Amino acid sequence: MRTIRIRSLAAGMLAAALAWPAAASAEFLTGVEVAAGYRNDSLNWDISTDPSGLSAPNVLSELSWKNLNILEMQARVHAENDYGFYAKAELSYGWIVHGRNQDSDYDGNNRTQEFSRSNNSSNGSYVWDGSFGLGYALHPNEDWSIIPLVGAAMDTQKVVMKDGYQTIGDGVRVPLPGPFAGLNSSYKADWWGPWGGLDVQYTAGRLQLGASGEYHWDVAYSGTGDWNLRPKTLSDKAWHGRGYVAGGSIGWALDENWTLRAAGRWRDFTVDRGTENQWLAGAPIGDLSFNHAHWSSTSGSLGLEYRF
């Protein structure tokens, strides 16, 4: 139900963002930008033994994906009417071309007595992001724009585990160290929720400088895993997460319509305490405590904007 409410709110805000400029004023400035760039992500999460999270071990299993090298395409649009009302939206899609995964299991509290570890590749799959916001542009003078905003966003990472290599194993519960064949598992993480932020823009002749910051609150998390070496699936749910986004850009106006822009962005999201439901061959095998998930991302891009 909460997911439906958030997505309904998101759909309503997006419709408003696209509809109000023409309705509010016949004179408005719109910018459309297409950009391409490089991005590096990491994602990790862990679970404990039972739904309470109090039984030993307090970390039963931990999975992490690091150095996910991503080629990304972005599309942005923003509009401001002559009353100062402002809207922006962004969509991006990225291809994961290289990355590493680690899967560890423990018998003791606080990540001790590690009895299984595999180190695997994470080449392939994708990420995508969508965000939009509404705000009001303040112009202290002709050079500056200060824009408070509220909005909603959704971010997805679909990651895989391939080319399996057992690093720690006893040969009883798990294989002895060495490569093992057939690994082709996947995990999909979704983060969504509202945000509030501020955009600041400065123009000096052809030079354009921009900075932005966002705080995401009440972030909901949903994870879905498909482990292929045994017919096991899992579903993770957590709520009340938080996220931070910061960005900067530098642009150069080629003429009155076209602007070349380089931009960078940093994102960091965390969610704590939820539930994990597991199924084996389609039959439920129990609920565990989902302890924590963390996603971080750093990206850079080069884009071309057209204003009309």
Side-chain angles (χ1 to χ4, degrees), residues 233-252:
T233 58
L234 54 90
S235 175
D236 298 322
K237 301 291 184 184
W239 299 267
H240 310 306
R242 58 203 176 277
Y244 305 90
V245 180
S249 65
I250 179 169
W252 186 260

Side-chain angles (χ1 to χ4, degrees), residues 47-296:
I47 58 174
S48 60
T49 307
D50 61 25
S52 72
L54 301 177
S55 300
N58 55 13
V59 176
L60 172 66
S61 183
E62 182 175 39
L63 287 93
S64 62
W65 289 262
K66 296 182 179 180
N67 294 321
L68 297 173
N69 299 323
I70 301 164
L71 301 179
E72 186 176 42
M73 294 293 296
Q74 303 169 349
R76 306 183 185 96
V77 59
H78 65 88
E80 180 184 347
N81 72 1
D82 51 3
Y83 297 106
F85 293 106
Y86 185 90
K88 70 174 184 178
E90 178 177 338
L91 290 173
S92 64
Y93 187 92
W95 296 264
I96 301 174
V97 297
H98 183 266
R100 300 298 302 172
N101 160 259
Q102 179 168 304
D103 183 354
S104 294
D105 297 311
Y106 306 91
D107 275 336
N109 278 336
N110 303 317
R111 298 176 176 84
T112 59
Q113 303 177 45
E114 185 177 9
F115 68 87
S116 175
R117 180 194 297 172
S118 65
N119 293 95
N120 320 296
S121 72
S122 192
N123 306 339
S125 211
Y126 65 89
V127 297
W128 79 266
D129 311 273
S131 178
F132 53 88
L134 299 172
Y136 186 79
L138 306 172
H139 299 283
N141 55 50
E142 62 182 9
D143 299 329
W144 288 90
S145 294
I146 301 172
I147 310 167
L149 292 151
V150 294
M154 183 168 183
D155 305 280
T156 293
Q157 303 89 44
K158 175 74 178 292
V159 290
V160 298
M161 294 176 280
K162 297 180 177 180
D163 305 321
Y165 189 93
Q166 194 73 32
T167 309
I168 296 175
D170 57 12
V172 180
R173 287 187 290 178
V174 293
L176 290 169
F180 57 93
L183 180 63
N184 188 22
S185 296
S186 64
Y187 186 82
K188 180 173 175 283
D190 294 319
W191 311 72
W192 68 91
W195 59 266
L198 185 71
D199 286 2
V200 178
Q201 301 168 7
Y202 173 74
T203 303
R206 291 179 177 265
L207 179 66
Q208 300 175 6
L209 301 177
S212 63
E214 298 172 7
Y215 175 67
H216 295 238
W217 72 93
D218 203 28
V219 175
Y221 177 87
S222 175
T224 305
D226 182 5
W227 294 174
N228 77 299
L229 292 183
R230 49 182 175 165
K232 180 179 177 181
T233 58
L234 54 90
S235 175
D236 298 322
K237 301 291 184 184
W239 299 267
H240 310 306
R242 58 203 176 277
Y244 305 90
V245 180
S249 65
I250 179 169
W252 186 260
L254 304 176
D255 57 30
E256 64 180 8
N257 298 115
W258 294 96
T259 299
L260 184 67
R261 179 174 290 105
R265 177 180 293 168
W266 167 83
R267 287 177 280 201
D268 192 272
F269 282 69
T270 301
V271 67
D272 300 310
R273 194 57 64 195
T275 59
E276 178 172 289
N277 307 115
Q278 295 188 353
W279 295 265
L280 187 62
I285 57 175
D287 299 339
L288 302 175
S289 175
F290 186 81
N291 292 337
H292 170 267
H294 177 247
W295 163 54
S296 64

Side-chain angles (χ1 to χ4, degrees), residues 4-16 132 151-154 192-193:
I4 294 174
R5 287 199 303 267
I6 291 174
R7 290 179 176 172
S8 298
L9 174 63
M13 291 183 66
L14 179 59
F132 53 88
M154 183 168 183
W192 68 91

